[in-house]
Amino acid sequence: MIGGLRPTTAEPVPLAPVAADSRGSARRARRRRTLREAAVFVALAVPNIALIVWFTYRPLVLNVYYSTLDWTLGSDTARAVGLDNYTQFFQSEEAGQVFLTTAMFTVATVVLSMGLGLLVALGLNRKVRGAGLAQATVFSPYVLSGVGVGLAWQYIFDPTVGALGAIVRGFGGTSPEWFNDETLSLVMVVIVYVWKNLGYAAVIYLAGLQAISSDILEAAAIDGAGPVRKFFSVTFPLLSPTTFFLLVTSILNSLQAFDLIRAMTPLGRGTTTLIYDAYLRAFGGYNQAGYSAMLSTVLFVLLVILTLVQLVVLERRVHYR
């Protein structure tokens, strides 16, 4: 006590409730922001998801159901036959021929388009004048209509009035009967399909080549690797992600190729792949819509199996850098 005054202690300022209120306000603000973001997501995503379900997965499920029916397209009545359509197809001689044609077309188009596309990409991967124009020229057939391309090439392959027949006759030969010979019909369609899709593979490979660091290539050259050794030991392994992507997409596209086959060989003589056989069964005079749905289901299962095999087996060999 000094001078009769009793010392007093100051009361602490109550800061804790204020801090608690601040934390509560922050949580409420975050909750409101989360709710707003969720509402925006629902508003934007739900309509698109609904459209995908309605126009993609619903037809897929209905197609599986139709494959169990004996049904004529446009008819109001159908008879349930269970798995009879599948049994009839796999026990017929037609199944082997259809699968063989599908395999031959797919392997030929995928190998040729990717192989030639890589060669074209190597040629375009140079800093020369006109490289941009060359790239656009190579890629342009890919964006053209498949039906238009097929009709144009029909005149080229026509043995009577076609440009190819005229060239062959100019050298004293006879133009092959591309449309009457089943083997030549398949070869013809493969040639046109590769010509049309070559630019796609070339552009994708070109992007992969340009993504490879020049330091790696220069280090390989310093170590004494020649152009061939450098390509197979350095460049091509580094292109494995690009090759894997192209392999998956090219196989899927080839198995679903329809427009060129329809435009160039309407009767499917020698070119009856699985998807084209499904078209002929429903719209080509057979009036077997249920059988066609079965073929489409088989094709879908085949696509899923091939994709899974590539993702599980081949992706292990891909070197991501």
Side-chain angles (χ1 to χ4, degrees), residues 46-74:
V46 168
N48 293 284
I49 294 174
L51 290 174
I52 292 173
V53 170
W54 187 260
F55 290 105
T56 301
Y57 296 106
R58 175 178 170 271
L60 176 62
V61 174
L62 289 176
N63 185 80
V64 175
Y65 167 68
Y66 293 150
S67 70
T68 64
L69 302 177
D70 180 10
W71 176 48
T72 299
L73 194 65

Side-chain angles (χ1 to χ4, degrees), residues 114 117-118 121 201-210 236 239 242-243 246:
M114 290 182 62
L118 178 57
V203 168
I204 299 298
Y205 267 130
L206 180 61
L209 288 171
Q210 293 178 347
F236 192 68
L239 285 175
T242 305
T243 302
L246 277 175

Side-chain angles (χ1 to χ4, degrees), residues 178-193:
W178 296 96
F179 300 96
N180 296 326
D181 189 304
E182 293 187 358
T183 302
L184 291 180
S185 295
L186 184 60
V187 172
M188 174 182 66
V189 175
V190 167
I191 291 173
V192 179
Y193 185 91

Side-chain angles (χ1 to χ4, degrees), residues 46-298:
V46 168
N48 293 284
I49 294 174
L51 290 174
I52 292 173
V53 170
W54 187 260
F55 290 105
T56 301
Y57 296 106
R58 175 178 170 271
L60 176 62
V61 174
L62 289 176
N63 185 80
V64 175
Y65 167 68
Y66 293 150
S67 70
T68 64
L69 302 177
D70 180 10
W71 176 48
T72 299
L73 194 65
S75 175
D76 295 331
T77 59
R79 181 172 61 91
V81 295
L83 300 178
D84 286 356
N85 287 328
Y86 295 89
T87 303
Q88 178 185 347
F89 172 68
F90 284 105
Q91 289 181 350
S92 67
E93 296 180 359
E94 172 204 4
Q97 184 60 45
V98 168
F99 279 121
L100 178 61
T101 303
T102 304
M104 292 173 61
F105 177 81
T106 302
V107 171
T109 53
V110 170
V111 171
L112 289 175
S113 61
M114 290 182 62
L116 295 176
L118 178 57
L119 293 177
V120 172
L122 291 172
L124 294 176
N125 191 31
R126 301 175 182 275
K127 295 181 180 180
V128 295
R129 182 177 299 178
L133 178 61
Q135 295 172 19
T137 303
V138 169
F139 185 73
S140 58
Y142 178 72
V143 299
L144 297 178
S145 166
V147 174
V149 169
L151 293 176
W153 278 88
Q154 262 192 331
Y155 288 101
I156 295 176
F157 281 103
D158 190 285
T160 304
V161 298
L164 185 59
I167 295 174
V168 173
R169 287 191 297 272
F171 286 94
T174 303
S175 177
E177 294 292 332
W178 296 96
F179 300 96
N180 296 326
D181 189 304
E182 293 187 358
T183 302
L184 291 180
S185 295
L186 184 60
V187 172
M188 174 182 66
V189 175
V190 167
I191 291 173
V192 179
Y193 185 91
V194 171
W195 175 84
K196 185 179 185 302
N197 292 273
L198 173 66
Y200 170 75
V203 168
I204 299 298
Y205 267 130
L206 180 61
L209 288 171
Q210 293 178 347
I212 296 176
S213 174
S214 58
D215 295 338
I216 300 177
L217 300 177
E218 291 174 359
I222 293 173
D223 289 340
V228 176
R229 176 70 180 277
K230 185 166 59 175
F231 173 77
F232 285 103
S233 299
V234 179
T235 304
F236 192 68
L238 291 176
L239 285 175
S240 58
T242 305
T243 302
F244 177 70
F245 169 78
L246 277 175
L247 185 63
V248 173
T249 56
S250 298
I251 289 177
L252 294 179
N253 291 334
S254 294
L255 285 172
Q256 299 177 84
F258 172 81
D259 46 6
L260 281 177
I261 298 175
R262 176 66 181 85
M264 302 190 70
T265 56
L267 299 178
R269 186 181 292 114
T271 59
T272 306
T273 58
L274 197 56
I275 190 172
Y276 197 65
D277 193 22
Y279 164 79
L280 292 176
R281 291 289 176 174
F283 305 101
Y286 293 94
N287 295 325
Q288 295 177 320
Y291 196 89
S292 173
M294 175 273 301
L295 292 173
S296 300
T297 304
V298 171

